[in-house]
Amino acid sequence: MRLTIISLIALTFFSSCAEKETTDSEMYIGTYRIMDQMVPYPYIIQQKKDSVFLYDNKGNAVDKITNNSIKKNKEIKFKEKHLKILNKKENEFLAFDLLDTINFRTFKNGKPSPKNSAKFEKITSKNKLDFQKVKKGIINSIWKYDVVEDENNNPNNDLDIEEVLYFKNDSLNIITNYYYQDFKIISEYETKTYNIFEIDNIYFLSLQKESNNPQPIYQIIGYDLNKIELKDYSSRDSKNISFYKASIGVGDFEKLAKSTSSYSNCFDGFQAEYYHNDINYKKGNEYIIKFVNENIPNNEINSGYLIVHFNINCFGKVGDFGLIQMNRDFKATSFSKELVNHVIKKVSKLEDFPPSNSQSEWLDYKDVHGFLMFKLDNGNIIDLCP
């Protein structure tokens, strides 16, 4: 009996220690910086016993300091980042980099601004996956993602957006398809690099472009041969998204990629509005009306407004589309497939927007969000704004 009691006490003690050990590490993923611009902030911070580690977007431990807690008003002084904790909640905190005066702007009195801080969110889900199986299964495979839109996307009510992703050994190739009423209107192609990495049995997928164009880090929370489940932290509210195994093969993908026009934002984190630097079409609205009215389908009897949203990148190219349709009472309506297809394809061929690239004391951007609001009368364009 005595041995049983001693054994129970020992078991309770070791269980308590084991539980304490498992909760001794907390990991936070960088989501975005600047509250109203939401530029990706691809870093991971891990507090482990009496140390805090900083990981980059490839999963490399770039720094480590002795520190036993992450608390409000405390500074975490890594070698190249001095992060002041401005706001600490149970599952997230805001951090301001005191060494980065370009990307982290203070108030006029010189104090750190929570609005211009970086947000870190605590990683709470830790699924047990086979890392090598996940990595091997993702690479050299083609996946399909039905885009779940958020505040990072252009305004869009009426287009369905699909990405087809080919994870080659050295690059991620993406074809973005835009559908209206199940009819594919237009496609875009771009290439990024990527990394799949692991930190303490938590798996991540990170995307990369140039060093000055940060991309998000996703947490891999589930995987099988037909589906990749990810947690996306890049918007104000994190969400789960899924990639599904695509039905097309590598040969078909590469054939489509060769025939698809390339488009990429020069800076994915933030697009300014067209009026910040007078980014208007060089030939004027009258030219656009005439150009889009050419060979316009004559089977449309509805009247109203067809609004095409898009980005203009730093090379003056147009892409990243959205669509909103309204009747004359500004209520939702739908125009024909033929009309919508015609208008969006015509807009995609406008090549005389000025390159967008600006730096000012309060606003830096490389791409601009623009829109064209076509006023339709029985299917003919009679006016255009802005």
Side-chain angles (χ1 to χ4, degrees):
M1 182 70 177
R2 184 178 176 187
L3 285 174
T4 303
I5 293 172
I6 292 172
S7 298
L8 286 172
I9 292 172
L11 179 63
T12 303
F13 174 77
F14 287 116
S15 296
S16 174
C17 289
E19 183 179 351
K20 185 175 186 299
E21 181 68 25
T22 58
T23 58
D24 220 12
S25 173
E26 292 183 340
M27 199 175 300
Y28 296 86
I29 188 167
T31 61
Y32 59 84
R33 62 175 174 83
I34 310 179
M35 189 178 298
D36 57 357
Q37 295 184 14
M38 305 190 67
V39 179
Y41 197 66
Y43 294 94
I44 293 172
I45 289 178
Q46 182 184 34
Q47 181 188 338
K48 197 170 184 180
K49 292 184 178 178
D50 60 350
S51 299
V52 178
F53 296 80
L54 177 67
Y55 298 88
D56 65 13
N57 61 347
K58 298 180 181 180
N60 299 316
V62 294
D63 208 343
K64 171 190 173 183
I65 61 168
T66 301
N67 198 323
N68 59 5
S69 65
I70 298 173
K71 294 181 179 179
K72 184 178 179 179
N73 295 326
K74 195 167 185 177
E75 291 183 22
I76 304 175
K77 294 186 178 181
F78 297 115
K79 185 177 180 180
E80 296 184 2
K81 292 182 180 296
H82 287 189
L83 299 177
K84 182 166 185 177
I85 311 303
L86 301 186
N87 191 356
K88 177 73 165 64
K89 297 180 182 179
E90 182 180 356
N91 290 320
E92 64 182 57
F93 63 84
L94 296 179
F96 190 96
D97 189 351
L98 299 172
L99 296 183
D100 188 347
T101 58
I102 296 175
N103 295 313
F104 291 79
R105 294 186 178 130
T106 61
F107 287 121
K108 290 184 178 179
N109 60 9
K111 291 185 177 180
S113 165
K115 177 182 174 182
N116 291 329
S117 299
K119 179 184 174 184
F120 283 82
E121 189 168 328
K122 188 176 181 180
I123 295 174
T124 55
S125 55
K126 302 179 180 181
N127 292 3
K128 292 183 178 179
L129 302 170
D130 184 323
F131 180 67
Q132 292 304 323
K133 182 178 179 181
V134 171
K135 191 171 183 180
K136 184 178 178 180
I138 292 176
I139 297 175
N140 291 322
S141 295
I142 300 174
W143 303 85
K144 186 185 79 167
Y145 169 45
D146 294 323
V147 175
V148 179
E149 297 180 68
D150 54 38
E151 55 268 46
N152 292 310
N153 300 95
N154 277 333
N156 174 49
N157 291 342
D158 301 318
L159 294 178
D160 294 317
I161 304 174
E162 169 197 78
E163 290 183 350
V164 184
L165 307 102
Y166 177 21
F167 289 87
K168 299 174 74 171
N169 280 323
D170 58 352
S171 63
L172 170 59
N173 301 268
I174 306 170
I175 296 175
T176 303
N177 298 316
Y178 297 88
Y179 292 86
Y180 176 65
Q181 297 179 356
D182 297 324
F183 179 77
K184 185 166 74 173
I185 294 177
I186 198 168
S187 300
E188 299 165 350
Y189 175 75
E190 69 173 324
T191 300
K192 301 181 180 184
T193 57
Y194 71 95
N195 278 280
I196 300 169
F197 61 91
E198 173 265 335
I199 303 173
D200 283 0
N201 294 317
I202 302 176
Y203 306 150
F204 301 93
L205 166 67
S206 67
L207 307 181
Q208 287 97 44
K209 282 189 178 177
E210 299 80 6
S211 59
N212 61 351
N213 187 4
Q215 305 286 295
I217 300 175
Y218 303 94
Q219 182 188 354
I220 303 173
I221 58 176
Y223 170 80
D224 61 37
L225 293 176
N226 297 307
K227 184 179 179 182
I228 308 168
E229 294 179 85
L230 304 171
K231 190 158 189 179
D232 178 2
Y233 296 89
S234 63
S235 57
R236 286 188 176 86
D237 296 315
S238 58
K239 60 183 182 293
N240 292 350
I241 62 175
S242 297
F243 296 170
Y244 294 91
K245 184 63 70 72
S247 58
I248 68 170
V250 171
D252 289 333
F253 180 93
E254 292 181 338
K255 188 183 297 183
L256 284 170
K258 287 180 181 178
S259 62
T260 301
S261 298
S262 63
Y263 176 82
S264 182
N265 292 324
C266 296
F267 187 77
D268 291 88
F270 173 66
Q271 291 80 47
E273 297 298 332
Y274 68 95
Y275 48 76
H276 282 311
N277 201 24
D278 194 26
I279 306 294
N280 291 312
Y281 193 67
K282 293 178 181 179
K283 294 181 179 179
N285 281 5
E286 290 300 322
Y287 174 88
I288 295 177
I289 292 173
K290 183 178 178 182
F291 177 71
V292 179
N293 262 331
E294 270 181 15
N295 301 316
I296 197 166
N298 58 8
N299 64 340
E300 181 63 63
I301 60 172
N302 291 332
S303 298
Y305 303 91
L306 196 155
I307 309 168
V308 181
H309 289 266
F310 51 86
N311 287 344
I312 307 160
N313 70 12
C314 60
F315 302 106
K317 295 191 69 173
V318 171
D320 204 355
F321 292 96
L323 175 67
I324 296 175
Q325 301 171 91
M326 300 183 295
N327 62 21
R328 287 290 175 84
D329 296 322
F330 302 103
K331 294 180 180 178
T333 191
S334 295
F335 294 101
S336 68
K337 293 180 183 179
E338 293 81 6
L339 179 68
V340 171
N341 176 55
H342 173 86
V343 172
I344 291 180
K345 282 187 173 176
K346 282 283 193 177
V347 170
S348 72
K349 294 176 182 177
L350 294 173
E351 297 179 344
D352 288 292
F353 283 101
S356 60
N357 197 337
S358 176
Q359 291 187 341
S360 65
E361 183 180 349
W362 62 279
L363 181 68
D364 296 345
Y365 62 86
K366 292 187 176 181
D367 313 281
V368 162
H369 161 243
F371 70 91
L372 293 173
M373 183 175 181
F374 296 95
K375 185 176 181 180
L376 295 157
D377 186 14
N378 293 324
N380 288 307
I381 299 168
I382 60 172
D383 200 2
L384 173 63
C385 68

